Amino acid sequence: MSSPNIHVGIMSADKIDFKLHGEYQLVGTKHTFSGDGSVRFENGNLQLADSKISGDKLYFMPLDKENSEFELKDVTIGVNFHWEQKEDQKFQGALKFIIEEGQITAVNILSIEDYLISVISSEMSAKSSLDLLKAHAIISRSWLIAQTEKQDKLTDAGESYESSFETDDEYIKWYDREDHTNFHVCADDHCQRYQGTTRSHNPNVVKAVNETAGVVLAYKGVICDARFSKCCGGIAELFENCWEPVNHPYLTAVIDNPTAPKGFETDLTVEENAVPWLKNAPEAFCNTDDEEVLKQVLNEYDWTAKDFYRWTVEYKQDELSALILKRSGHDFGKILDMIPVERGVSGRLIKLKIVGSKKTLTVGKELEIRRWLSESHLYSSAFLVEKEDIVDGVPGQIILQGAGWGHGVGLCQIGAAVMGHKGYKYDEILNHYFKNIDLEKRY
C-alpha cells in the first residue's frame, strides 16, 4: 500500500499571489500553466488573473510531480503567537484554491510521507538527533492518520462537533482540528506546523521519515491520537484536560525525569502541591538551557523564547483589564482576582475564575485561558497568580509565575531532544511519553 494523500489548508486571503515552478494542468480543462499567477475572490467566484477562467474552485496538478513545486506569497506563520510573521513558501504536490467564508483558501494536496518531511523540519530544527526525528515522525504520522479517520467518521455520521459550553457563570471552550471541514489539517500550530519545502531538505529528516515509513503508535490495535508540545514543564498533561472530554490511556501524567524529583509532591491537581512545583524548577529532561540541545528543537523564530521551563509575566491593572476585555469580549471592569478553580495533572489550569468589579466568570479550557491573558498565547496555563500594590481591594499589578510552553500533552519536544542528546533510542523516547503503546507498520 502506498502512502495516502493529505489535504492541507495553507492560507486564506481575499487575493493570493503564487508561482508555479514547472508545468501544471488546471484540472477539468486542457489548460496548462507555469510561472507567476494570482487569484482573487470576485462576484462569488475565484477569478484567475489575466484570464477568463473562474469558478468555485481551481485545481492545479503538476505534470512532473518529482520536479515541480509551487510558491505561495505572504503566508502567515505563527498565527496569533508572539512570533507571527509572513514569508513566501514553496510546496510539493498539487495546489487547490477553494472558497471559505468569502475568502480564498489555498490547499496543498500531497502524500503523507512528503508532508511529514516538512512537518518535522517545520516543527523542529533539522539539526536534531536522528532518534528524536524518528520519534517525531512516528507521532506526527499517528496523529495525522487518527485525525483523518476521526474526521471521516464524523462526516459519515453527519455529526456536528461541539467544542464550547457557556452558562452565566462559565465559558468553556477548546480548540481542535475539527474546526476544519474542507481539508484535513491546517499548516499552522493549530494542527501541525507545516511550511512546505521551505525547511524540508535536510537529509536527516528525509532519512528519519523514510526509515519509519508507515509506522504508527497504536494502543490495543487503534492508532493513537498522539500529541506533542514544546515543553511540558516537568509533567505531561492529560488529553481530556485540553480537548474533548475523552480519556486516552496512553496520554498520562508522565513525570519528565527518570525518577520522581525529590522534595516535591507530584499530584499537581492539588493546589498546595502545585504552588511549590511552579515556584521552583524541579529536575526534568525539559529543564535545560543547553543551547546545543535547544537549537535542535527551536527554529529561528522560536529562539526568542528561552525562559520556557519557568517564566514570569507582569501586568499593570489597566493593562490587564484592557487585555481581557479585548481578548474575551467581556467587560470585567477592574480585575480584582484570578482564582484557580481546577488544575490538571501538570499544574495547568483547566478552569480559572476571573473576578472583576463588574463581572465574575470562570473560563476554560487551557488554551482559552492562555488566549485571554496574552496578546498572542500565554506560554501555558500552568501558572500562579500574585497580586501586588493592592488599594481598596484593587491590585495595581498582577504577576503570573508559570511553567512550560504549550498544552503539555504527549511528547515534550525539548525533553525528547534532551533524551536523544543523551543517547536514548527513538522507541525509548516514545515509550517514555506514551504508555502501553505498540509500534505498528500500517502501509
Side-chain angles (χ1 to χ4, degrees):
M1 178 181 173
S2 61
S3 170
N5 280 343
I6 187 77
H7 294 228
V8 188
I10 307 297
M11 65 181 297
S12 294
D14 297 325
K15 176 176 175 288
I16 297 179
D17 296 321
F18 62 96
K19 186 171 186 177
L20 303 176
H21 299 270
E23 291 287 324
Y24 284 70
Q25 182 170 4
L26 183 61
V27 175
T29 76
K30 296 180 179 180
H31 297 288
T32 59
F33 294 87
S34 63
D36 292 321
S38 180
V39 61
R40 65 182 184 274
F41 184 64
E42 187 176 279
N43 298 324
N45 272 322
L46 303 174
Q47 178 64 53
L48 191 64
D50 301 322
S51 79
K52 296 181 179 179
I53 295 173
S54 65
D56 60 355
K57 61 179 178 290
L58 299 173
Y59 189 174
F60 294 92
M61 180 72 71
L63 297 181
D64 181 355
K65 293 181 180 180
E66 298 299 320
N67 299 302
S68 299
E69 61 182 7
F70 64 88
E71 184 175 357
L72 295 175
K73 309 292 186 180
D74 290 331
V75 179
T76 301
I77 62 173
V79 177
N80 292 328
F81 282 86
H82 60 279
W83 44 266
E84 180 176 315
Q85 58 188 278
K86 291 182 182 293
E87 66 178 22
D88 297 345
Q89 294 183 346
K90 293 181 179 178
F91 302 87
Q92 290 179 301
L95 169 62
K96 188 176 183 180
F97 294 110
I98 61 175
I99 299 170
E100 285 192 313
E101 298 179 355
Q103 284 195 314
I104 308 163
T105 295
V107 179
N108 182 198
I109 302 169
L110 75 167
S111 76
I112 285 181
E113 300 303 308
D114 286 336
Y115 166 81
L116 288 174
I117 289 172
S118 174
V119 164
I120 309 309
S121 301
S122 300
E123 282 285 349
M124 306 153 72
S125 168
K127 298 176 183 177
S128 303
S129 69
L130 182 60
D131 280 285
L132 173 61
L133 294 173
K134 285 184 175 181
H136 213 299
I138 292 169
I139 62 172
S140 292
R141 183 183 296 110
S142 304
W143 175 85
L144 181 64
I145 296 174
Q147 295 307 304
T148 57
E149 289 181 350
K150 181 178 178 181
Q151 184 184 49
D152 290 343
K153 288 178 182 177
L154 287 171
T155 302
D156 291 344
E159 296 179 13
S160 60
Y161 185 83
E162 296 294 335
S163 61
S164 64
F165 300 93
E166 186 171 6
T167 68
D168 291 340
D169 302 316
E170 283 192 342
Y171 179 74
I172 308 299
K173 182 175 177 64
W174 66 86
Y175 298 81
D176 214 344
R177 43 93 27 238
E178 283 81 9
D179 294 334
H180 307 309
T181 56
N182 296 315
F183 43 85
H184 294 116
V185 292
C186 69
D188 214 63
D189 293 71
H190 176 275
C191 290
Q192 292 188 124
R193 192 183 294 178
Y194 168 68
Q195 295 165 358
T197 61
T198 311
R199 296 181 177 84
S200 66
H201 290 294
N202 184 278
N204 263 357
V205 175
V206 177
K207 181 179 175 68
V209 172
N210 288 344
E211 290 187 0
T212 64
V215 177
V216 297
L217 296 179
Y219 178 79
K220 295 184 176 180
V222 178
I223 295 176
C224 294
D225 188 349
R227 301 286 170 135
F228 58 87
S229 66
K230 281 286 181 235
C231 175
C232 67
I235 299 180
E237 189 51 77
L238 303 185
F239 176 91
E240 58 264 39
N241 290 340
C242 297
W243 293 288
E244 62 187 328
V246 174
N247 175 257
H248 294 307
Y250 48 86
L251 295 173
T252 62
V254 175
I255 296 175
D256 197 28
N257 202 51
T259 58
K262 293 181 180 179
F264 295 94
E265 294 292 334
T266 54
D267 181 1
L268 303 188
T269 62
V270 178
E271 192 68 20
E272 289 76 14
N273 299 339
V275 171
W277 180 270
L278 297 175
K279 279 184 174 289
N280 294 281
E283 185 178 351
F285 285 127
C286 58
N287 182 4
T288 182
D289 56 6
D290 186 335
E291 293 199 1
E292 183 179 352
V293 173
L294 294 177
K295 285 181 179 178
Q296 294 178 21
V297 180
L298 303 179
N299 280 307
E300 297 84 2
Y301 41 77
D302 289 328
W303 194 241
T304 58
K306 296 184 183 180
D307 56 346
F308 49 82
Y309 190 71
R310 292 295 182 270
W311 47 265
T312 300
V313 174
E314 300 180 359
Y315 289 117
K316 298 295 185 184
Q317 171 64 236
D318 290 347
E319 180 185 10
L320 182 60
S321 57
L323 174 65
I324 293 177
L325 171 60
K326 175 184 176 182
R327 299 290 283 165
S328 73
H330 295 282
D331 184 3
F332 287 85
K334 299 290 186 182
I335 304 301
L336 306 181
D337 206 352
M338 295 197 296
I339 303 169
V341 175
E342 183 180 355
R343 288 190 187 273
V345 295
S346 70
R348 282 167 172 78
L349 286 164
I350 304 166
K351 293 183 180 181
L352 174 70
K353 180 185 285 187
I354 301 177
V355 181
S357 58
K358 295 181 179 179
K359 183 184 185 71
T360 296
L361 187 67
T362 294
V363 58
K365 295 183 178 183
E366 65 88 31
L367 183 54
E368 191 70 356
I369 293 171
R370 292 163 59 197
R371 290 183 70 251
W372 283 24
L373 298 179
S374 173
E375 286 287 356
S376 55
H377 293 72
L378 200 65
Y379 280 160
S380 87
S381 69
F383 59 82
L384 304 172
V385 179
E386 292 190 0
K387 298 173 290 181
E388 292 186 350
D389 305 327
I390 300 173
V391 178
D392 296 329
V394 179
Q397 182 166 263
I398 294 179
I399 301 169
L400 308 182
Q401 289 183 281
W405 183 357
H407 52 70
V409 179
L411 181 135
C412 170
Q413 290 178 312
I414 291 172
V418 171
M419 291 184 72
H421 191 66
K422 289 178 177 289
Y424 287 84
K425 298 302 181 184
Y426 73 93
D427 57 337
E428 295 176 306
I429 295 172
L430 292 170
N431 279 286
H432 171 64
Y433 290 108
F434 303 92
K435 299 307 180 185
N436 302 311
I437 51 91
D438 297 306
L439 297 179
E440 297 183 0
K441 189 172 176 66
R442 290 300 180 97
Y443 57 82

